[in-house]
Amino acid sequence: MLVLASASPRRLDLLRQIGLEPAAIDPADTDETPAAAEAPRAYALRMAMAKLAVVAPRHPGATVLAADSVVALGRRILLKAETEAEARRCLALLSGRRHRVLGGVAVRSAAGKVSTRLVETVVRFKRLEPSEVESYIRSGEWQGKAGGYAIQGRAAAFVPFLSGSYSNVVGLPLFETAAMLRAASP
């Protein structure tokens, strides 16, 4: 039995893409505030582990999958954009630059063994024109997305370069997640 510790429809769609259907979806309600001076890599893993720690005890005997995606520009963490102003700020920061998407993944096997992975993808945005930013803001795709964009949507037109896992940028690194889930199987 697989439990997905996430309310993200993207993570569910990605699991289904590789033929996995969770028996349950149980989102973790955790504080996602970065600690003072917390590095993006440490934050991504800490968030995945925190979500696992909340959800796993509610499902004894199940395999539990938790994940978190972090958009990082240097040491700066770009959180989920909740307002148009936040989305504009993120897009302005990303315009014409490379950034990293860090995917923290944590799995607890049915036997209780915990494993973690951190997956890093490098993404470069083209220099964005003001009209492109405004059109993207009007689309609403930025809402609730780390870094204020969804690469699987209209923002794909902003990305001339990507190195690493595309699915990691969408929300879950599938190759690594599938390997972790296979290792967690009895």
Side-chain angles (χ1 to χ4, degrees), residues 47-60:
M47 285 293 92
M49 287 297 296
K51 292 173 183 180
L52 187 69
V54 167
V55 175
R58 300 194 293 234
H59 301 277

PDB file of all heavy atoms in Angstrom, residues 47-60:
ATOM      1  N   MET A  47      12.093  19.626   4.480  1.00  0.00           N
ATOM      2  CA  MET A  47      10.658  19.676   4.221  1.00  0.00           C
ATOM      3  C   MET A  47      10.106  18.288   3.870  1.00  0.00           C
ATOM      4  O   MET A  47       9.038  17.895   4.345  1.00  0.00           O
ATOM      5  CB  MET A  47      10.348  20.662   3.098  1.00  0.00           C
ATOM      6  CG  MET A  47      10.439  22.121   3.499  1.00  0.00           C
ATOM      7  SD  MET A  47       9.154  22.613   4.681  1.00  0.00           S
ATOM      8  CE  MET A  47       9.946  22.336   6.236  1.00  0.00           C
ATOM      9  N   ALA A  48      10.824  17.547   3.043  1.00  0.00           N
ATOM     10  CA  ALA A  48      10.377  16.189   2.694  1.00  0.00           C
ATOM     11  C   ALA A  48      10.320  15.313   3.945  1.00  0.00           C
ATOM     12  O   ALA A  48       9.347  14.581   4.168  1.00  0.00           O
ATOM     13  CB  ALA A  48      11.292  15.579   1.643  1.00  0.00           C
ATOM     14  N   MET A  49      11.346  15.406   4.791  1.00  0.00           N
ATOM     15  CA  MET A  49      11.374  14.614   6.021  1.00  0.00           C
ATOM     16  C   MET A  49      10.283  15.052   6.997  1.00  0.00           C
ATOM     17  O   MET A  49       9.678  14.216   7.674  1.00  0.00           O
ATOM     18  CB  MET A  49      12.753  14.727   6.683  1.00  0.00           C
ATOM     19  CG  MET A  49      13.841  13.956   5.966  1.00  0.00           C
ATOM     20  SD  MET A  49      13.533  12.174   5.941  1.00  0.00           S
ATOM     21  CE  MET A  49      13.607  11.806   7.683  1.00  0.00           C
ATOM     22  N   ALA A  50      10.025  16.360   7.075  1.00  0.00           N
ATOM     23  CA  ALA A  50       8.979  16.855   7.973  1.00  0.00           C
ATOM     24  C   ALA A  50       7.609  16.335   7.545  1.00  0.00           C
ATOM     25  O   ALA A  50       6.791  15.926   8.384  1.00  0.00           O
ATOM     26  CB  ALA A  50       8.994  18.380   8.000  1.00  0.00           C
ATOM     27  N   LYS A  51       7.355  16.335   6.249  1.00  0.00           N
ATOM     28  CA  LYS A  51       6.081  15.820   5.742  1.00  0.00           C
ATOM     29  C   LYS A  51       5.955  14.323   6.038  1.00  0.00           C
ATOM     30  O   LYS A  51       4.889  13.852   6.444  1.00  0.00           O
ATOM     31  CB  LYS A  51       5.956  16.094   4.245  1.00  0.00           C
ATOM     32  CG  LYS A  51       5.815  17.566   3.925  1.00  0.00           C
ATOM     33  CD  LYS A  51       5.854  17.820   2.426  1.00  0.00           C
ATOM     34  CE  LYS A  51       5.775  19.304   2.107  1.00  0.00           C
ATOM     35  NZ  LYS A  51       5.819  19.566   0.663  1.00  0.00           N
ATOM     36  N   LEU A  52       7.044  13.596   5.837  1.00  0.00           N
ATOM     37  CA  LEU A  52       7.040  12.164   6.134  1.00  0.00           C
ATOM     38  C   LEU A  52       6.781  11.924   7.616  1.00  0.00           C
ATOM     39  O   LEU A  52       6.002  11.041   7.987  1.00  0.00           O
ATOM     40  CB  LEU A  52       8.375  11.537   5.710  1.00  0.00           C
ATOM     41  CG  LEU A  52       8.452  10.017   5.816  1.00  0.00           C
ATOM     42  CD1 LEU A  52       7.553   9.371   4.771  1.00  0.00           C
ATOM     43  CD2 LEU A  52       9.886   9.547   5.645  1.00  0.00           C
ATOM     44  N   ALA A  53       7.412  12.711   8.477  1.00  0.00           N
ATOM     45  CA  ALA A  53       7.271  12.546   9.923  1.00  0.00           C
ATOM     46  C   ALA A  53       5.835  12.776  10.385  1.00  0.00           C
ATOM     47  O   ALA A  53       5.374  12.148  11.343  1.00  0.00           O
ATOM     48  CB  ALA A  53       8.217  13.490  10.658  1.00  0.00           C
ATOM     49  N   VAL A  54       5.100  13.658   9.703  1.00  0.00           N
ATOM     50  CA  VAL A  54       3.709  13.928  10.062  1.00  0.00           C
ATOM     51  C   VAL A  54       2.797  12.800   9.584  1.00  0.00           C
ATOM     52  O   VAL A  54       1.924  12.339  10.318  1.00  0.00           O
ATOM     53  CB  VAL A  54       3.247  15.282   9.472  1.00  0.00           C
ATOM     54  CG1 VAL A  54       1.735  15.445   9.560  1.00  0.00           C
ATOM     55  CG2 VAL A  54       3.951  16.432  10.164  1.00  0.00           C
ATOM     56  N   VAL A  55       3.004  12.339   8.357  1.00  0.00           N
ATOM     57  CA  VAL A  55       2.064  11.409   7.729  1.00  0.00           C
ATOM     58  C   VAL A  55       2.355   9.937   8.045  1.00  0.00           C
ATOM     59  O   VAL A  55       1.419   9.155   8.265  1.00  0.00           O
ATOM     60  CB  VAL A  55       2.010  11.638   6.202  1.00  0.00           C
ATOM     61  CG1 VAL A  55       1.131  10.610   5.507  1.00  0.00           C
ATOM     62  CG2 VAL A  55       1.516  13.053   5.909  1.00  0.00           C
ATOM     63  N   ALA A  56       3.615   9.537   8.069  1.00  0.00           N
ATOM     64  CA  ALA A  56       3.957   8.111   8.244  1.00  0.00           C
ATOM     65  C   ALA A  56       3.324   7.477   9.490  1.00  0.00           C
ATOM     66  O   ALA A  56       2.802   6.351   9.393  1.00  0.00           O
ATOM     67  CB  ALA A  56       5.471   7.928   8.244  1.00  0.00           C
ATOM     68  N   PRO A  57       3.310   8.130  10.652  1.00  0.00           N
ATOM     69  CA  PRO A  57       2.699   7.486  11.822  1.00  0.00           C
ATOM     70  C   PRO A  57       1.204   7.204  11.672  1.00  0.00           C
ATOM     71  O   PRO A  57       0.666   6.326  12.348  1.00  0.00           O
ATOM     72  CB  PRO A  57       2.937   8.498  12.955  1.00  0.00           C
ATOM     73  CG  PRO A  57       4.100   9.308  12.510  1.00  0.00           C
ATOM     74  CD  PRO A  57       3.977   9.385  11.016  1.00  0.00           C
ATOM     75  N   ARG A  58       0.550   7.916  10.776  1.00  0.00           N
ATOM     76  CA  ARG A  58      -0.883   7.696  10.561  1.00  0.00           C
ATOM     77  C   ARG A  58      -1.160   6.476   9.686  1.00  0.00           C
ATOM     78  O   ARG A  58      -2.321   6.083   9.521  1.00  0.00           O
ATOM     79  CB  ARG A  58      -1.508   8.946   9.915  1.00  0.00           C
ATOM     80  CG  ARG A  58      -1.360  10.184  10.780  1.00  0.00           C
ATOM     81  CD  ARG A  58      -2.235  11.337  10.355  1.00  0.00           C
ATOM     82  NE  ARG A  58      -1.921  11.943   9.078  1.00  0.00           N
ATOM     83  CZ  ARG A  58      -1.698  13.244   8.890  1.00  0.00           C
ATOM     84  NH1 ARG A  58      -1.718  14.081   9.925  1.00  0.00           N
ATOM     85  NH2 ARG A  58      -1.467  13.717   7.689  1.00  0.00           N
ATOM     86  N   HIS A  59      -0.086   5.889   9.092  1.00  0.00           N
ATOM     87  CA  HIS A  59      -0.255   4.764   8.169  1.00  0.00           C
ATOM     88  C   HIS A  59       0.752   3.653   8.474  1.00  0.00           C
ATOM     89  O   HIS A  59       1.635   3.359   7.660  1.00  0.00           O
ATOM     90  CB  HIS A  59      -0.093   5.256   6.727  1.00  0.00           C
ATOM     91  CG  HIS A  59      -1.072   6.314   6.357  1.00  0.00           C
ATOM     92  ND1 HIS A  59      -2.354   6.031   5.937  1.00  0.00           N
ATOM     93  CD2 HIS A  59      -0.973   7.674   6.378  1.00  0.00           C
ATOM     94  CE1 HIS A  59      -2.992   7.175   5.703  1.00  0.00           C
ATOM     95  NE2 HIS A  59      -2.180   8.174   5.970  1.00  0.00           N
ATOM     96  N   PRO A  60       0.613   3.012   9.630  1.00  0.00           N
ATOM     97  CA  PRO A  60       1.547   1.920   9.942  1.00  0.00           C
ATOM     98  C   PRO A  60       1.388   0.780   8.935  1.00  0.00           C
ATOM     99  O   PRO A  60       0.283   0.492   8.484  1.00  0.00           O
ATOM    100  CB  PRO A  60       1.132   1.496  11.354  1.00  0.00           C
ATOM    101  CG  PRO A  60      -0.265   2.009  11.530  1.00  0.00           C
ATOM    102  CD  PRO A  60      -0.394   3.208  10.651  1.00  0.00           C
TER     103      PRO A  60
END
